[in-house]
């Protein structure tokens, strides 16, 4: 029987202009949706592992505390590298940058990492988590772009559609190690 992997997108960050996204904290009230998230995680995770970015760590710790399970961190689960990318005040500009990122997966067009490189790095980190954590059900709290890249690659889907549909505190549940989605996407 396959193991369960829940890939969870962090809660709402507090966006600060001039501060790189990897430094953002969670916004006040960002975890009020945890009960809804928990109701969708079946089977319930035995452990929660998060990216080391503050918004993912806080989300992972909150989720683990609500479930009464251990919380851990793992290198390599961070969002695609965009340390020098501007913080776009207009959401349409950010959307356009992400679209270019998905349209040119082998090129560095947004930030410092191509989509292909981000997917491979994230896949390697997920693999390491699943080797280390032997529990039947594992939740990884990470970031929308890398989650979308990994799942789309494994399922032959468009990462843009996944990225657009994966909301904050959203989750995709997969079989491990096949990365087969358990629920069809809308």
């Amino acid at each position: 029987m396959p193991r369960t992997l829940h890939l969870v997108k962090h809660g709402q960050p507090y966006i600060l202009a001039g501060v790189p996204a990897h430094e953002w904290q969670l916004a006040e009230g960002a975890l009020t949706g945890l009960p809804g998230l928990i109701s969708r995680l079946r089977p319930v995770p035995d452990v929660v592992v998060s990216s080391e970015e503050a918004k993912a760590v806080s989300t992972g710790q909150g989720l683990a505390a609500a479930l009464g399970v251990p919380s851990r961190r793992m290198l390599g689960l961070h969002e695609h590298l965009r340390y020098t990318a501007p913080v776009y005040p207009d959401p349409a500009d950010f959307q356009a940058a992400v679209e270019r990122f998905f349209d040119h997966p082998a090129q560095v067009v947004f930030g410092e990492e191509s989509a292909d490189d981000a997917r491979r790095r994230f896949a390697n980190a997920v693999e390491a988590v699943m080797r280390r954590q032997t529990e039947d059900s594992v939740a990884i709290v990470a970031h929308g772009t890398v989650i979308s890249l990994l799942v789309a690659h494994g399922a032959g889907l468009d990462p843009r559609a996944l990225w657009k549909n994966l909301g904050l505190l959203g989750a995709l549940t997969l079989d491990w190690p096949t990365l087969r989605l358990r629920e069809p996407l809308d």
Side-chain angles (χ1 to χ4, degrees):
M1 178 153 168
R3 294 167 63 203
T4 300
L5 171 60
H6 301 287
L7 294 175
V8 177
K9 185 174 176 181
H10 60 78
Q12 175 67 50
Y14 178 68
I15 300 170
L16 286 170
V19 175
H22 68 274
E23 294 179 14
W24 293 344
Q25 306 290 320
L26 285 183
E28 188 173 326
L31 299 182
T32 58
L34 273 181
L37 169 63
I38 290 168
S39 72
R40 297 187 308 273
L41 299 179
R42 295 290 176 253
V44 173
D46 301 301
V47 64
V48 176
V49 180
S50 72
S51 150
E52 292 201 315
E53 289 189 31
K55 56 191 174 274
V57 170
S58 295
T59 302
Q61 289 172 340
L63 177 59
L67 294 170
V69 301
S71 173
R72 298 188 172 92
R73 299 178 194 184
M74 177 69 176
L75 293 170
L77 296 173
H78 54 276
E79 182 58 284
H80 98 271
L81 295 177
R82 52 184 188 231
Y83 295 109
T84 60
V87 175
Y88 294 101
D90 182 349
D93 292 337
F94 176 72
Q95 175 95 17
V98 174
E99 293 283 337
R100 283 191 307 277
F101 176 77
F102 288 132
D103 287 341
H104 305 283
Q107 299 172 12
V108 176
V109 296
F110 177 40
E112 297 77 39
E113 188 175 39
S114 72
D116 287 344
D117 289 340
R119 179 189 46 78
R120 281 189 292 270
R121 184 245 320 137
F122 185 69
N124 288 336
V126 169
E127 175 79 30
V129 167
M130 297 304 285
R131 272 195 317 268
R132 165 76 170 80
Q133 302 303 144
T134 58
E135 295 85 357
D136 288 336
S137 182
V138 175
I140 294 177
V141 178
H143 310 274
T145 306
V146 290
I147 290 172
S148 298
L149 289 168
L150 177 67
V151 174
H153 182 77
L157 299 171
D158 177 6
R160 270 177 293 271
L162 282 173
W163 180 75
K164 287 177 183 177
N165 290 318
L166 184 61
L168 296 164
L169 294 182
L172 298 173
T173 299
L174 306 105
D175 288 340
W176 181 263
T178 64
L179 296 179
R180 184 186 66 79
L181 274 167
R182 292 210 178 146
E183 299 282 324
L185 298 171
D186 297 332

